């Protein structure tokens, strides 16, 4: 494969295993201590990538909190939005950092960002990552959502994988992070108590190997 950036995935999950509320509704899962860690992670990468579902549900700004880490330049924000369904006024398109959208739509609009129209081949993660690598991006943070993370696992592109379990049980939980349709064990690398929650680091290579084998066999 062509070269790609080093990929870190970070996601927060409730005690009952959900990453969102009912119908994808946004729920705050991370503790303040965890948010500091997230901003530190953001400050260490050159780009942050999310899917259109996350932009629509959570409307994140994806910048580095200057009270946590002083940064002269924020990481590039990369939005995967095949059908260009995110709102023009979404916070990820504000002027605080550069944003690029990967889409299949040719439309140019008033978003303050670069729209990269690609065919289905060009929208393959491998090609997006290789293009970003060619632009000098060596480390990228993937912040969701579920279908984007699943896609990264299936393609075996993850090098570091963090799940923060927050001190919350979500009523009427919506999305689970994983539902591979088969059993997977022994993928935890380390566990750390963190604020009022738990930070789990997975062994992404092992997880992706098991996932790939199962998908192939099923
Ligand atoms: N707890 C957490 O840490 C956390 C973090 C992030 C998000 N979330 C939650 O996760 C949910 C969103 O997850 P989700 O699975 O619904 O959506 P998502 O993964 O954020 O975005 C999925 C969408 O991205 C587009 N896409 C995927 N691959 C693409 C590609 N290669 N090129 C171009 N576009 C591509 C597709 O758009 P099209 O449909 O147009 O094809 C797809 O529907 C929300 O409920 C949010 O609250 C939780």
């Amino acid at each position: 494969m062509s070269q790609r950036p080093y990929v870190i995935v970070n996601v927060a999950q409730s005690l009952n295993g959900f990453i969102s509320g009912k119908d994808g509704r946004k729920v705050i899962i991370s503790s303040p201590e965890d948010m500091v860690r997230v901003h530190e992670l953001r400050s260490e990468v050159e780009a942050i990538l999310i899917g259109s579902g996350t932009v629509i549900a959570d409307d994140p700004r994806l910048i580095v909190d200057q009270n946590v880490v002083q940064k002269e330049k924020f990481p590039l924000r990369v939005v995967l939005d095949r059908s260009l369904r995110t709102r023009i006024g979404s916070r990820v398109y504000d002027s605080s950092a550069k944003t690029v959208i990967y889409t299949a739509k040719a439309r140019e609009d008033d978003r303050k960002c670069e729209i990269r129209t690609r065919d289905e081949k060009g929208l393959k993660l491998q090609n997006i990552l290789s293009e970003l690598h060619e632009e000098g991006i060596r480390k990228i943070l993937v912040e969701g959502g579920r279908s984007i993370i699943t896609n990264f696992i299936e393609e075996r592109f993850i090098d570091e994988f963090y799940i923060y379990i927050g001190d919350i049980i979500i009523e009427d939980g919506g999305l689970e992070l994983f539902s591979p349709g088969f059993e997977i064990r022994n993928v935890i690398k380390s566990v750390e108590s963190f604020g009022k929650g738990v930070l789990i680091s997975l062994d992404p290579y092992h997880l992706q190997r098991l996932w790939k084998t199962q998908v192939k066999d099923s």
Side-chain angles (χ1 to χ4, degrees), residues 81-115:
D81 186 3
R82 180 176 286 105
S83 38
L84 212 53
R85 61 194 175 101
T86 52
R87 277 190 316 112
I88 292 179
S90 304
R91 299 195 320 153
V92 74
Y93 305 128
D94 73 10
S95 53
S96 50
K98 189 178 171 198
T99 303
V100 298
I101 304 184
Y102 280 90
T103 182
K105 297 279 177 194
R107 192 171 71 234
E108 293 290 327
D109 55 34
D110 290 339
R111 276 169 245 251
K112 293 186 200 73
C113 65
E114 186 187 333
I115 297 183

Side-chain angles (χ1 to χ4, degrees), residues 19-78:
I19 64 163
S20 76
K22 192 176 181 204
D23 302 326
R25 175 178 52 89
K26 175 181 179 176
V27 177
I28 295 181
I29 298 171
S30 285
S31 62
E33 294 87 350
D34 188 50
M35 280 319 297
V36 169
R37 183 189 61 85
V38 170
H39 284 286
E40 284 169 352
L41 258 184
R42 286 180 184 171
S43 76
E44 290 162 14
V45 298
E46 285 125 15
I48 304 171
L49 181 148
I50 54 170
S52 54
T54 301
V55 176
I56 292 164
D58 297 356
D59 197 15
R61 208 164 149 226
L62 299 185
I63 57 166
V64 180
D65 183 342
Q66 294 298 281
N67 295 316
V68 177
V69 185
Q70 293 279 325
K71 279 291 269 190
E72 260 173 41
K73 193 176 159 219
F74 289 147
L76 175 72
R77 301 176 293 193
V78 180

Side-chain angles (χ1 to χ4, degrees), residues 6-10 41 44 139-141 157-162 189 201-205 208:
Y6 184 86
V7 175
I8 303 171
V9 170
N10 186 72
L41 258 184
E44 290 162 14
K139 209 185 237 192
I140 188 164
L141 176 63
F157 288 150
I158 306 173
D159 301 292
E160 272 179 58
F161 198 144
Y162 298 102
K189 196 155 81 176
S201 168
L202 297 184
D203 177 345
Y205 305 121
Q208 292 169 131

